[in-house]
Amino acid sequence: MKPLLLAAVLAAAPATPQKSPAPDAGLTQAAQPSLTVPGGKFLRARSGNTAVAQMFAPGIAELSLAEKRVAWSLTLAAHAGEDIALDQLGWKLVPTKQLLEGVWLFGRDAQSSASGFDAKLAEYLLRFYGHGGNHDSTTGQKFVPAFTAEQLAAGASRARKAGAPWPVRDDAALQVWLQELTPTLFDASFEPQLTSKAPPPGQDILTASSNTAYGPGVTEKDLVGFKEKYPLNSRVVKQDGKLVEQVFRAGTPDGNVKPGLYAKELSRVIAHLQEAMKSAEPTHKAALGKLVRYFQTGSPKDWDAYNIAWLKVDPKVDANLGFIETYVDPRGHKGQWEGLVNYRDTAENQIMVLMGQKAQYFEDRLPWPQKYRRKKVSLPVAKAINLITSNPEPPAGINLPNEQHIREKYGSKSVMITNVMDAASAVTRLPLALEFSRTAEDREQAQKYSVTARKWLVAFHEVLGHASGQVDPKLKGQSPSVFLKEYDNTLEEARADLVALWHAFDPALAELSPDHEAIARQMYRDFLVEGLTNLRRVETGNAFEEDHQRGHHMTVTFLEEKGAVKQVTQDGRTYLVIPDYAKMREAVGELLSKLMVIKATGDYEGIRALVQEKGIHFDPKLRDEVARRVKAVDVPTVLLLNSPRVVPVLDAKGAVVDLKEDTTQAFVDQHLERSLLGRLSPAEASRVAAQVAGSPDGVREAFKELGPETAPAPTPAKKGAAPVKSTP
């Protein structure tokens, strides 16, 4: 790490050692460094190989008052569901977060300069918040803190005595709580993999995964023949030896539908949605009402009704709320809670408008069999947006809904997220494109076109990639995911990337830039750079587990085997080069056609063979070389994004009369505030948000006033024990 970055090593570490016990210390913003490295205004903080980048959202000031009120209420709805997402990722992560937050707010060490505890706690909190738990959000591998269990216990004792709002009454109860959470926090071999698609001997993809999509003891074999009524929003558990679905729902006010799992959290989400409906335009209000109904009933029919209504409206302020992406579930069925709030970015909308208007044109030119091309593409809603808030860490683009039957009949919405892409390009993508460009000419082209090429790839991926194609009637209306199982997400991400690569050289793109062919060539080169740099994320072992990485690696391997891409070593550095762009595009078309036929026909064995042979294993020596090169140029391996904080301005009656953007809040501080606001009613959340915005100690005092919410989570049956290791 370079010295200039050390000044901001932690996003919320105290600026100076505390002279009095930690409970009296406020949350202070660490001084930011004078940056002379890639990242510019975006790079906020650095801790080892992890960096925090700031997202900006200046367009908030341009929203109308009604739009600001909608944006604020949707932001609170997103916060209200964050503990759901955390609970889906681990059996004890919610109480673990309560413990860590209490120690940070009330139990830091006055002698931290000697013990190093505060800095280590801040570093772990940064990772815990950034990854949504104790597993890397990309690789799924578990990480543990640098502080010891003894240091944490001492901090917890200090915090309890200082009034930390925990559901423990004395030191004896605190010690029991700490013992329950010790394996989750400190044992790297306990629940080591978030999602395991290559389980160790004696386990299957469910029992080897530490997420909570399935209850303790539920195996793949148990689910054979079991019909789930709520496949997206339920947890399957064993009760009295029988499989039962615990449905995620709040219950209906009339009592006809009983509350289910996460009823308390979803009731809070609903309250914020109902507040948003008061200011939303009529069609948006109606769509939000259908989302409320879905959260009450959990019914797949109500989810479909909401998605259809959502596709028909295009408000300036919008959101994705619900159980949406299925990457964490090894079977690819269970949706993880997601809360993303955004507004339209008109300045970056040109590429998205072109994609939407020419959707049928591009569909007709896809390389797969004509019977799997859509004959009448519904005009997709395609737009560039800026995020206001996000959980989990945001992608560069989104295409929803995921349900194939709705896409084929009603279309989809696709977005390119401008403020995410701007931050990522500045801090990581452009520096990596420069390092892994083999020639001076390639580096010059990367400097000139890489940012635009990335935006074009994401636009194609979302607008035309995920939304393209139709399945074979032989599937009888069932989603391909039912047949492709754990390989469905891998196929879909690879397919969407390949659609972008296939269309990159289309002459229609001349409407966007006279340099469209140079941008297309850069898109191809950058795709290969990502293929190399993905390796550094998997720090141990020689296999990819995450769907995007598997799909990308499968594609690069296929291209190499076809001779369209070659590995070249120059001065001890490995590069992936393209001898002939036309040949590479031909190979792209071949793989794309193969994947579409597999998807359309539900060919499980076909995709299994492709992924197993080409998408999983890599050369660890190449990974180590890539990691050394990335470290040498000081580009962070992990990029966490700080959302633009929105602060409500209230009148004397507590009504929101304005919404301000604040980009000075540190990463850990922001997530502490989100934890706090997520537990409050609409009126209370607005009052507290306005209050803490002007007070460094506000969050700490508000937590104390709020008090404990729940008792520590009961211990589930043992699920995440370390796999039995075989001897060499």
Side-chain angles (χ1 to χ4, degrees):
M1 189 190 306
K2 294 185 178 178
L4 283 171
L5 294 178
L6 289 170
V9 67
L10 297 170
T16 58
Q18 301 168 37
K19 296 181 180 180
S20 57
D24 297 326
L27 292 173
T28 57
Q29 167 71 48
Q32 299 301 309
S34 173
L35 296 173
T36 60
V37 296
K41 67 176 183 178
F42 296 100
L43 185 59
R44 285 288 306 277
R46 186 75 180 266
S47 175
N49 67 354
T50 298
V52 176
Q54 181 66 46
M55 293 190 293
F56 297 91
I60 288 174
E62 301 170 7
L63 300 177
S64 69
L65 176 56
E67 289 166 342
K68 289 176 179 177
R69 286 175 170 170
V70 171
W72 176 241
S73 294
L74 292 178
T75 297
L76 292 177
H79 295 344
E82 287 191 8
D83 276 358
I84 299 175
L86 195 60
D87 189 69
Q88 289 180 293
L89 297 179
W91 294 102
K92 293 180 181 291
L93 291 184
V94 173
T96 295
K97 185 185 76 164
Q98 293 172 351
L99 172 65
L100 294 170
E101 289 178 340
V103 174
W104 175 254
L105 289 168
F106 298 92
R108 281 179 276 170
D109 186 1
Q111 306 301 319
S112 182
S113 57
S115 69
F117 174 68
D118 286 2
K120 293 173 183 176
L121 176 58
E123 180 182 22
Y124 187 73
L125 264 174
L126 185 148
R127 297 183 73 187
F128 188 90
Y129 283 136
H131 293 281
N134 59 349
H135 293 82
D136 185 286
S137 57
T138 297
T139 67
Q141 295 177 341
K142 185 175 182 178
F143 53 85
V144 297
F147 55 81
T148 66
E150 292 73 21
Q151 287 177 315
L152 181 63
S157 181
R158 290 191 296 269
R160 193 195 68 78
K161 292 173 183 176
W166 291 333
V168 291
R169 296 183 178 180
D170 52 34
D171 276 341
L174 176 60
Q175 291 305 312
V176 172
W177 195 31
L178 288 169
Q179 285 298 317
E180 281 193 3
L181 300 181
T182 292
T184 296
L185 275 164
F186 295 102
D187 187 350
S189 64
F190 180 78
E191 299 179 343
Q193 189 70 35
L194 177 64
T195 302
S196 177
K197 296 188 177 181
Q203 297 188 63
D204 65 20
I205 60 174
L206 304 190
T207 61
S209 298
S210 66
N211 67 73
T212 66
Y214 306 92
V218 176
T219 67
E220 271 193 291
K221 186 177 180 180
D222 292 330
L223 293 172
V224 174
F226 179 72
K227 183 68 174 178
E228 296 168 71
K229 296 180 180 179
Y230 306 87
L232 192 67
N233 55 302
S234 72
R235 175 185 294 163
V236 180
V237 301
K238 281 185 178 180
Q239 291 181 359
D240 300 323
K242 295 183 179 180
L243 293 180
V244 175
E245 283 185 273
Q246 295 179 334
V247 186
F248 309 159
R249 64 188 179 204
T252 55
D254 59 14
N256 288 335
V257 177
K258 301 300 181 184
L261 195 58
Y262 305 132
K264 177 177 59 181
E265 293 85 354
L266 288 172
S267 294
R268 290 177 185 150
V269 172
I270 288 170
H272 295 303
L273 289 175
Q274 291 172 332
E275 190 68 21
M277 291 168 65
K278 295 177 183 178
S279 300
E281 57 191 61
T283 54
H284 192 199
K285 177 181 178 179
L288 291 175
K290 293 183 184 299
L291 183 58
V292 167
R293 175 68 180 175
Y294 166 65
F295 287 145
Q296 290 171 339
T297 69
S299 166
K301 290 183 179 179
D302 287 329
W303 178 238
D304 283 355
Y306 163 68
N307 278 307
I308 293 167
W310 177 70
L311 286 170
K312 294 178 180 179
V313 299
D314 186 24
K316 188 169 185 179
V317 174
D318 205 350
N320 303 116
L321 295 166
F323 305 98
I324 299 176
E325 302 296 354
T326 60
Y327 301 114
V328 171
D329 175 11
R331 295 172 68 229
H333 291 178
K334 305 300 180 188
Q336 185 185 359
W337 171 265
E338 182 175 301
L340 290 86
V341 182
N342 65 78
Y343 65 89
R344 189 182 303 114
D345 180 357
T346 54
E348 289 282 355
N349 225 27
Q350 185 183 13
I351 177 67
M352 302 301 284
V353 170
L354 177 72
M355 299 292 178
Q357 292 175 343
K358 290 187 174 291
Q360 188 69 62
Y361 167 89
F362 286 115
E363 179 82 15
D364 292 342
R365 284 156 179 78
L366 287 165
W368 56 67
Q370 188 171 357
K371 64 179 178 178
Y372 299 133
R373 297 179 200 157
R374 296 169 65 186
K375 308 302 184 292
K376 188 177 181 181
V377 176
S378 300
L379 188 66
V381 176
K383 58 185 178 180
I385 63 170
N386 283 314
L387 283 184
I388 297 173
T389 192
S390 171
N391 180 63
E393 280 290 293
I398 305 169
N399 175 270
L400 291 173
N402 287 326
E403 287 70 20
Q404 183 72 21
H405 63 283
I406 293 181
R407 286 187 186 189
E408 290 187 2
K409 187 172 182 180
Y410 298 98
S412 63
K413 275 187 185 180
S414 301
V415 297
M416 177 177 70
I417 309 177
T418 304
N419 56 354
V420 169
M421 298 185 70
D422 287 345
S425 292
V427 178
T428 59
R429 287 193 173 275
L430 182 55
L432 290 174
L434 295 173
E435 164 60 23
F436 288 88
S437 294
R438 184 169 65 96
T439 67
E441 180 184 359
D442 284 350
R443 286 189 288 275
E444 180 183 350
Q445 294 291 296
Q447 188 76 54
K448 192 172 182 180
Y449 297 119
S450 187
V451 173
T452 302
R454 176 63 180 171
K455 289 180 178 179
W456 286 19
L457 183 140
V458 169
F460 269 121
H461 179 109
E462 302 299 345
V463 181
L464 303 173
H466 287 309
S468 63
Q470 63 183 19
V471 300
D472 198 292
K474 294 178 182 178
L475 298 191
K476 298 180 179 179
Q478 294 189 81
S479 170
S481 64
V482 173
F483 303 92
L484 303 180
K485 303 177 184 177
E486 69 268 26
Y487 297 103
D488 177 62
N489 284 325
T490 297
L491 180 150
E492 188 58 26
E493 292 307 322
R495 192 180 72 93
D497 274 345
L498 286 162
V499 168
L501 296 174
W502 174 255
H503 287 312
F505 284 97
D506 194 289
L509 296 181
E511 293 183 29
L512 295 176
S513 171
D515 297 333
H516 65 100
E517 291 190 355
I519 295 169
R521 289 191 291 271
Q522 189 62 45
M523 185 193 298
Y524 274 37
R525 290 192 295 270
D526 285 349
F527 184 83
L528 299 180
V529 168
E530 187 171 354
L532 278 175
T533 56
N534 274 342
L535 297 171
R536 82 208 195 274
R537 288 300 302 268
V538 185
E539 296 180 358
T540 61
N542 68 339
F544 289 118
E545 288 280 3
E546 197 271 338
D547 292 306
H548 294 78
Q549 290 189 327
R550 283 184 164 194
H552 206 113
H553 189 57
M554 174 182 70
T555 299
V556 173
T557 302
F558 182 91
L559 295 173
E560 287 186 283
E561 290 177 355
K562 290 292 178 179
V565 171
K566 295 186 181 297
Q567 275 196 28
V568 174
T569 301
Q570 182 175 307
D571 299 326
R573 288 178 167 87
T574 300
Y575 301 91
L576 295 179
V577 300
I578 305 166
D580 184 332
Y581 286 91
K583 185 175 182 179
M584 179 167 168
R585 185 173 184 269
E586 181 182 338
V588 162
E590 182 181 346
L591 180 58
L592 178 55
S593 180
K594 187 185 295 287
L595 291 180
M596 186 62 225
V597 172
I598 288 173
K599 174 180 178 176
T601 58
D603 181 5
Y604 176 83
E605 289 302 325
I607 188 59
R608 180 183 179 279
L610 271 175
V611 175
Q612 288 288 332
E613 292 170 10
K614 307 181 194 304
I616 298 178
H617 296 289
F618 58 81
D619 179 3
K621 291 182 179 179
L622 180 58
R623 182 265 318 280
D624 294 343
E625 178 207 316
V626 169
R628 286 193 299 270
R629 291 167 64 184
V630 172
K631 184 177 181 180
V633 294
D634 202 31
V635 177
T637 299
V638 179
L639 184 66
L640 306 178
L641 294 168
N642 213 34
S643 294
R645 181 194 199 186
V646 288
V647 180
V649 179
L650 310 180
D651 64 13
K653 296 182 179 180
V656 175
V657 294
D658 201 0
L659 205 60
K660 301 291 187 181
E661 179 196 20
D662 172 20
T663 57
T664 65
Q665 189 180 39
F667 189 81
V668 169
D669 291 1
Q670 180 172 107
H671 283 270
L672 283 165
E673 185 176 319
R674 285 160 63 155
S675 291
L676 173 67
L677 298 180
R679 291 173 56 185
L680 300 174
S681 67
E684 290 173 325
S686 295
R687 176 184 61 81
V688 170
Q691 174 186 324
V692 302
S695 170
D697 295 316
V699 170
R700 180 173 174 271
E701 294 308 313
F703 263 105
K704 185 179 287 188
E705 290 177 13
L706 191 59
E709 181 175 39
T710 57
T715 305
K718 191 173 183 181
K719 179 182 180 180
V724 177
K725 297 180 180 179
S726 58
T727 55

